[in-house]
Amino acid sequence: MSEKIFNPNPEFAKDAKINSMEQYWELQNRAIEDYEGFWKDFADEKIDWIEPYDNVLDESNAPFYKWFSNGKLNVSNQCIDRHLADKAEQNAIVFEGDKGDVQHITYGQLSERVNELSNLLKNKFGVKKGDRVVLYMPMIPEAAYAMLACTRIGAIHSIVFGGFSSEALRDRIEDAEAKIVITADGAFRKGKPYMLKNVVDDALDAGGDSIEAVLVVKRNNEEIKWVEGRDHSYNELIEAESTECPFEPMESEDPLFLLYTSGSTGKPKGVQHATAGYILWAQMTMEWVFDLRKDDVYWCTADIGWITGHTYIVYGPLAAGGTTVMFEGVPTYPDAGRAWKMVQDHNVTQFYTAPTAIRLLHKTGEDEPKKYDLSKLRVLGTVGEPIDPPAWKWYYEVVGNSKCAIVDTYWQTETGGHMISPLPGATPIKPACATFALPGIITEIIEEDGTPTPIGEKGFMCITRPWPSMIRTIWNDPNRFVKSYFGDCKKDGEAVYFTGDGAMIDEDGYITITGRTDDVINVSGHRMGTAEVEAAIKKHDSVAAVAVVGKPHEIKGEGIFAYIVLKDPSEASEDLKIAINKVIKKEIGAIALCDAMVFVPDVPKTRSGKIMRRILRSLAKGEEITQDTSTLEDPSIVEVIEKIVKEG
Ligand code: PRX
């Protein structure tokens, strides 16, 4: 890590919401001294309560914490209605399609669209408070309308990323017992139409029996299969709906949404977020970390299928009354200047993306940013994986013209919003370092028994106090919730939230995230569970056993490397590799495709049958094996695999 420190731009800091480390420490010390008082002040200031809450934090049933119990609010009111008095004409969403088509949607128009859809869901489909609605949508404004309509009527949305396969979609529909799917015929990517509705059809052909209706938005106008009685046209039905729909008063702890994410074992888990705490932190971090100001145009390039798209495309920016850009396409089409052209055309002031995208944009168009006017940019953000120093440097110097703060935001699906991040007007930044926990977030890097990890050494990244936007449970599986997050680390004898990440603290108190300590692979900033990928590969008839690990990848951060044991070793061929990847695509989706596969006679296991992935990770990287192999059932297998990997 470079030792150079980048102080906040004084011009920027002058008007920033948090503009000095003194102010940061004032806030953080207040949280440390009076945790509930700190959160109460912000909840009272930021949330439009319909009925007051009676308890800031209820820890009586830990780790099932409750925040702002018995208060009533509504997230679509927080994001739309309460802004209408002074922002009806302000753009809420600026949409740019893959082909360059642009829509400006004001808060007034957003209100109408969301109200209509709320009425449609309620009146035509009988969607009620607590019902689950699956969204399988492209990046079009209707996806945001659907999210907000669900929150308006108290339905719980579960968004399934459009890159997931029909099998993955069906699993998520079935786990949540969803009542309705909202989808689109498809959308456009790289100038061409692609399809989504057929994936929904396939998912429902073989299950998903709880689904009563499929609501289809028209986007690319391609021909689609239509199941009479089940499929309904959004574009036709919406015409008849009123643009007024009262919002449902929701309890603070009512579930707001589910979002499935991978863990180190088993199937993806339905991370359940609650209403008040989530929206409060989404709004506060939007204001603090992106320093959102009046007339700003903020662009986050994520997909709404991931938590970043939830919190920092829709809920955070809208709760904060900002203007959020939504983009259907990819930042390198039609050329490597597309993202920068959009920043110029829409006068973007904050740009938020993943290191994988930065590496790609750097590699494919090193000088492209210089061709566009990026002078409005003030804050650049990164998320999803550690950013490497060369990517950081290019982002800072070439994209930000050495003037913008870079906020390396560390957080997770489960945390709901940012946990550790620089504050752009306050924090002296060390490149590629997430820096400090945000005010109100109490983190510690500890050993399993709770002792602090010494400076400069890797320990477990824990969050030792509950926080408002934290995961409440795993849908239908409270035991797994406790085991997954509160099973590994203890502090003063109490289980504390363990993120699954390793981290280091330096002598100045700066935190650097060192990556997952479990069997989760981070592919292009997205979590892939090894167990999930292995389960998919095992569905191929020729496969007897498999172990997958992450291997460093120039653009994606990590790629997937699979060690496969065949039932009949003579079947090994390049065609078989292609066929196995096809199964992965069918079971999970293209994001889980393996970058490399090797056929091996066996995988290294301990005598108790546990796969030694650490050894496999080293072998995939071509490293010398320094680990102790004497506990293996068959230590000689390591040399055999090493030879196979070397020979490719
Ligand atoms: O390993 C950490 C990594 O991404 C994981 C969370 O993934 P997910 O729930 O899919 O959410 C991604 C978007 C918030 C974390 O456990 N991660 C996320 N942000 C960073 C990061 N690793 C290092 N630096 C970051 N800024």
Side-chain angles (χ1 to χ4, degrees):
M1 191 170 69
S2 156
E3 276 312 296
K4 187 163 178 208
I5 290 192
F6 294 78
N7 284 311
N9 177 343
E11 250 330 276
F12 170 84
K14 210 162 50 117
D15 300 316
K17 293 206 168 63
I18 299 181
N19 61 15
S20 66
M21 283 312 275
E22 287 73 44
Q23 204 187 338
Y24 164 80
W25 280 114
E26 220 171 274
L27 283 162
Q28 186 63 321
N29 286 332
R30 161 119 173 87
I32 292 166
E33 282 154 24
D34 177 11
Y35 198 58
E36 293 193 19
F38 171 93
W39 286 110
K40 180 181 187 314
D41 287 353
F42 284 107
D44 292 350
E45 180 195 327
K46 305 282 177 193
I47 301 282
D48 189 10
W49 293 104
I50 303 167
E51 279 180 31
Y53 55 90
D54 49 34
N55 203 353
V56 175
L57 169 61
D58 176 354
E59 300 186 75
S60 60
N61 189 24
F64 298 92
Y65 300 102
K66 290 184 180 166
W67 283 89
F68 314 116
S69 298
N70 298 322
K72 291 221 167 118
L73 73 161
N74 182 282
V75 163
S76 82
N77 170 46
Q78 187 73 16
C79 291
I80 308 172
D81 304 48
R82 73 188 184 103
H83 301 312
L84 290 177
D86 60 341
K87 291 193 166 131
E89 302 301 321
Q90 180 197 306
N91 287 330
I93 298 175
V94 175
F95 168 73
E96 183 162 317
D98 179 68
K99 296 182 173 180
D101 46 315
V102 172
Q103 286 179 51
H104 292 98
I105 299 134
T106 64
Y107 272 93
Q109 291 163 332
L110 178 64
S111 167
E112 292 184 356
R113 299 295 82 78
V114 170
N115 277 270
E116 287 165 354
L117 182 51
S118 303
N119 278 324
L120 182 61
L121 292 175
K122 221 165 57 166
N123 302 335
K124 166 99 186 160
F125 301 111
V127 178
K128 298 182 307 297
K129 180 175 166 175
D131 284 344
R132 274 80 59 212
V133 176
V134 163
L135 272 53
Y136 190 69
M137 300 281 282
M139 284 291 293
I140 55 175
E142 288 80 0
Y145 306 160
M147 293 165 77
L148 291 158
C150 287
T151 70
R152 194 164 188 87
I153 61 176
I156 304 168
H157 62 66
S158 168
I159 308 188
V160 179
F161 171 60
F164 279 124
S165 68
S166 57
E167 310 278 328
L169 174 61
R170 184 189 314 126
D171 278 351
R172 287 156 175 78
I173 289 172
E174 290 182 346
D175 190 73
E177 295 173 278
K179 182 168 179 147
I180 172 167
V181 179
I182 307 180
T183 188
D185 45 7
F188 299 98
R189 188 188 298 128
K190 296 190 182 174
K192 295 198 186 75
Y194 72 92
M195 305 306 289
L196 284 172
K197 166 67 164 55
N198 58 334
V199 183
V200 177
D201 293 333
D202 289 347
L204 297 182
D205 275 351
D209 297 340
S210 57
I211 294 298
E212 294 170 13
V214 177
L215 185 61
V216 188
V217 178
K218 229 184 221 195
R219 170 63 186 158
N220 65 15
N221 287 312
E222 294 291 306
E223 212 165 293
I224 51 175
K225 183 173 117 180
W226 202 256
V227 179
E228 281 308 325
R230 186 196 74 184
D231 296 349
H232 302 266
S233 162
Y234 164 89
N235 306 71
E236 283 169 22
L237 292 175
I238 206 76
E239 294 290 323
E241 295 299 336
S242 148
T243 54
E244 276 175 40
C245 174
F247 52 78
E248 182 79 29
M250 301 298 287
E251 294 261 348
S252 295
E253 279 297 316
D254 277 337
L256 181 64
F257 62 79
L258 308 180
L259 183 56
Y260 284 79
T261 191
S262 299
S264 46
T265 54
K267 286 193 165 199
K269 39 197 180 187
V271 171
Q272 183 177 317
H273 278 288
T275 302
Y278 172 83
I279 199 67
L280 174 65
W281 191 234
Q283 182 176 330
M284 285 171 66
T285 47
M286 199 60 220
E287 293 171 355
W288 284 350
V289 176
F290 295 113
D291 198 62
L292 196 75
R293 301 178 196 172
K294 195 174 172 301
D295 302 326
D296 276 353
V297 179
Y298 156 92
W299 180 21
C300 165
T301 67
D303 188 284
I304 47 130
W306 309 111
I307 191 67
T308 309
H310 285 60
T311 311
Y312 297 110
I313 294 180
V314 179
Y315 291 120
L318 297 178
T323 300
T324 183
V325 176
M326 260 182 107
F327 177 43
E328 180 188 36
V330 295
T332 46
Y333 178 84
D335 58 47
R338 176 67 180 271
W340 316 126
K341 182 172 186 315
M342 281 182 62
V343 169
Q344 169 185 279
D345 291 354
H346 300 297
N347 294 313
V348 170
T349 42
Q350 290 94 346
F351 180 72
Y352 190 30
T353 195
T356 185
I358 298 168
R359 289 190 292 266
L360 183 68
L361 290 165
H362 181 193
K363 193 169 174 214
T364 53
E366 187 163 2
D367 293 322
E368 284 294 318
K370 294 181 186 150
K371 297 186 189 158
Y372 300 91
D373 176 5
L374 308 183
S375 60
K376 296 273 189 331
L377 283 173
R378 291 201 319 267
V379 182
L380 299 172
T382 76
V383 57
E385 52 173 318
I387 179 165
D388 44 294
W392 193 96
K393 188 167 183 282
W394 180 76
Y395 203 31
Y396 181 76
E397 289 175 357
V398 182
V399 179
N401 199 15
S402 303
K403 276 191 341 230
C404 299
I406 296 198
V407 289
D408 178 352
T409 62
Y410 167 75
W411 60 297
Q412 313 177 295
T413 304
E414 294 86 344
T415 67
H418 303 148
M419 294 286 105
I420 302 176
S421 171
L423 292 162
T427 314
I429 291 172
K430 294 188 183 184
C433 173
T435 74
F436 299 101
L438 291 171
I441 303 302
I442 313 296
T443 61
E444 278 180 69
I445 300 169
I446 54 179
E447 304 301 298
E448 270 170 34
D449 64 0
T451 47
T453 303
I455 285 172
E457 286 179 26
K458 263 192 218 178
F460 295 110
M461 183 74 247
C462 292
I463 307 171
T464 51
R465 293 286 280 139
W467 65 102
S469 65
M470 72 190 293
I471 173 177
R472 291 305 192 270
T473 189
I474 290 172
W475 181 257
N476 264 338
D477 205 345
N479 292 335
R480 192 173 175 200
F481 163 69
V482 178
K483 208 164 153 262
S484 303
Y485 304 105
F486 294 89
D488 292 323
C489 295
K490 282 201 163 61
K491 174 101 180 81
D492 304 327
E494 297 276 322
V496 290
Y497 178 89
F498 172 46
T499 58
D501 286 302
M504 267 190 318
I505 195 157
D506 72 7
E507 60 287 356
D508 301 322
Y510 281 69
I511 301 167
T512 298
I513 305 296
T514 53
R516 303 287 306 191
T517 62
D518 55 12
D519 292 331
V520 170
I521 306 176
N522 192 327
V523 183
S524 303
H526 301 308
R527 269 155 72 168
M528 268 304 133
T530 43
E532 235 178 304
V533 181
E534 287 167 2
I537 293 176
K538 275 189 205 144
K539 294 227 162 144
H540 192 289
D541 284 340
S542 304
V543 175
V546 55
V548 307
V549 295
K551 178 186 174 184
H553 184 281
E554 197 193 351
I555 301 291
K556 296 197 265 188
E558 273 190 300
I560 302 177
F561 192 107
Y563 296 87
I564 297 173
V565 184
L566 293 175
K567 289 177 188 158
D568 174 0
S570 71
E571 276 189 33
S573 70
E574 288 307 307
D575 283 349
L576 184 56
K577 291 183 183 173
I578 294 168
I580 291 173
N581 255 339
K582 264 195 191 149
V583 176
I584 299 176
K585 194 166 175 193
K586 176 166 170 286
E587 293 294 318
I588 305 175
I591 46 170
L593 291 179
C594 290
D595 292 282
M597 286 178 208
V598 285
F599 296 117
V600 292
D602 202 354
V603 288
K605 285 194 212 103
T606 59
R607 281 182 208 106
S608 59
K610 193 173 171 322
I611 297 174
M612 289 283 277
R613 282 206 183 71
R614 264 185 309 126
I615 292 180
L616 293 175
R617 272 194 288 268
S618 300
L619 288 172
K621 282 193 223 163
E623 288 173 356
E624 288 294 311
I625 299 301
T626 53
Q627 293 97 335
D628 176 15
T629 53
S630 63
T631 56
L632 292 179
E633 195 182 41
D634 171 14
S636 70
I637 192 70
V638 176
E639 248 174 64
V640 177
I641 298 177
E642 190 171 20
K643 193 158 173 274
I644 295 172
V645 173
K646 277 200 180 128
E647 283 166 5

